[in-house]
Short mmCIF file of all heavy atoms in Angstrom, two decimals:
data_model
loop_
_atom_site.label_atom_id
_atom_site.label_comp_id
_atom_site.label_asym_id
_atom_site.label_seq_id
_atom_site.Cartn_x
_atom_site.Cartn_y
_atom_site.Cartn_z
N PHE A 40 168.53 129.59 54.55
CA PHE A 40 167.51 129.39 55.62
C PHE A 40 166.27 128.77 54.99
O PHE A 40 166.09 128.80 53.76
CB PHE A 40 167.13 130.73 56.29
CG PHE A 40 166.73 131.80 55.31
CD1 PHE A 40 165.47 131.83 54.77
CD2 PHE A 40 167.64 132.76 54.92
CE1 PHE A 40 165.09 132.80 53.84
CE2 PHE A 40 167.29 133.74 54.00
CZ PHE A 40 166.01 133.76 53.46
N TYR A 66 167.53 136.71 46.85
CA TYR A 66 168.37 136.91 48.03
C TYR A 66 169.83 137.05 47.62
O TYR A 66 170.55 137.93 48.10
CB TYR A 66 168.20 135.71 48.98
CG TYR A 66 168.54 136.05 50.39
CD1 TYR A 66 167.56 136.43 51.29
CD2 TYR A 66 169.86 136.02 50.84
CE1 TYR A 66 167.87 136.78 52.59
CE2 TYR A 66 170.18 136.36 52.13
CZ TYR A 66 169.19 136.72 53.01
OH TYR A 66 169.51 137.07 54.30
N ASN A 83 175.17 137.71 57.97
CA ASN A 83 173.71 137.86 58.01
C ASN A 83 173.30 139.32 57.80
O ASN A 83 173.58 140.16 58.63
CB ASN A 83 173.16 137.36 59.35
CG ASN A 83 173.91 137.92 60.55
OD1 ASN A 83 175.12 137.94 60.58
ND2 ASN A 83 173.16 138.39 61.53
N PRO A 84 172.62 139.61 56.71
CA PRO A 84 172.13 140.98 56.48
C PRO A 84 170.69 141.09 56.96
O PRO A 84 169.77 141.26 56.15
CB PRO A 84 172.23 141.08 54.95
CG PRO A 84 171.92 139.69 54.48
CD PRO A 84 172.32 138.73 55.56
N CYS A 85 170.48 140.99 58.29
CA CYS A 85 169.12 140.78 58.81
C CYS A 85 168.12 141.85 58.36
O CYS A 85 166.98 141.53 58.03
CB CYS A 85 169.14 140.71 60.32
SG CYS A 85 169.95 139.20 60.90
N CYS A 88 167.35 141.47 54.74
CA CYS A 88 166.64 140.20 54.60
C CYS A 88 165.15 140.41 54.91
O CYS A 88 164.28 139.97 54.15
CB CYS A 88 167.27 139.19 55.55
SG CYS A 88 166.36 137.66 55.72
N LYS A 89 164.90 141.10 56.00
CA LYS A 89 163.48 141.32 56.38
C LYS A 89 162.79 142.22 55.37
O LYS A 89 161.63 142.01 55.01
CB LYS A 89 163.41 141.94 57.79
CG LYS A 89 163.68 140.89 58.87
CD LYS A 89 163.88 141.56 60.22
CE LYS A 89 164.30 140.55 61.27
NZ LYS A 89 163.21 139.74 61.79
N MET A 92 161.91 140.14 52.35
CA MET A 92 160.76 139.25 52.57
C MET A 92 159.45 140.04 52.65
O MET A 92 158.42 139.59 52.15
CB MET A 92 160.96 138.44 53.86
CG MET A 92 162.07 137.43 53.76
SD MET A 92 161.99 136.30 55.12
CE MET A 92 163.69 135.84 55.28
N CYS A 194 169.27 129.84 60.41
CA CYS A 194 169.86 130.71 59.39
C CYS A 194 171.37 130.50 59.36
O CYS A 194 172.08 130.85 60.30
CB CYS A 194 169.55 132.18 59.66
SG CYS A 194 170.29 133.24 58.39
N LEU A 196 173.56 131.97 57.69
CA LEU A 196 174.37 133.19 57.53
C LEU A 196 174.82 133.76 58.88
O LEU A 196 175.72 134.59 58.92
CB LEU A 196 173.57 134.25 56.77
CG LEU A 196 173.29 133.90 55.32
CD1 LEU A 196 172.35 134.90 54.69
CD2 LEU A 196 174.58 133.81 54.51
N THR A 197 174.21 133.33 59.96
CA THR A 197 174.61 133.86 61.28
C THR A 197 175.79 133.07 61.84
O THR A 197 176.33 133.44 62.88
CB THR A 197 173.47 133.76 62.30
OG1 THR A 197 173.06 132.39 62.38
CG2 THR A 197 172.27 134.61 61.89
S1 LIG B 401 168.91 135.55 60.82
FE1 LIG B 401 168.82 137.49 59.71
S2 LIG B 401 169.56 137.01 57.65
FE2 LIG B 401 169.01 135.07 58.62
S3 LIG B 401 166.87 134.67 58.03
FE3 LIG B 401 166.82 135.74 59.99
S4 LIG B 401 166.64 137.91 59.46
FE4 LIG B 401 167.32 136.81 57.60
#
Side-chain angles (χ1 to χ4, degrees):
F40 52 80
Y66 204 94
N83 50 314
C85 291
C88 170
K89 284 169 186 282
M92 292 193 208
C194 180
L196 293 172
T197 58

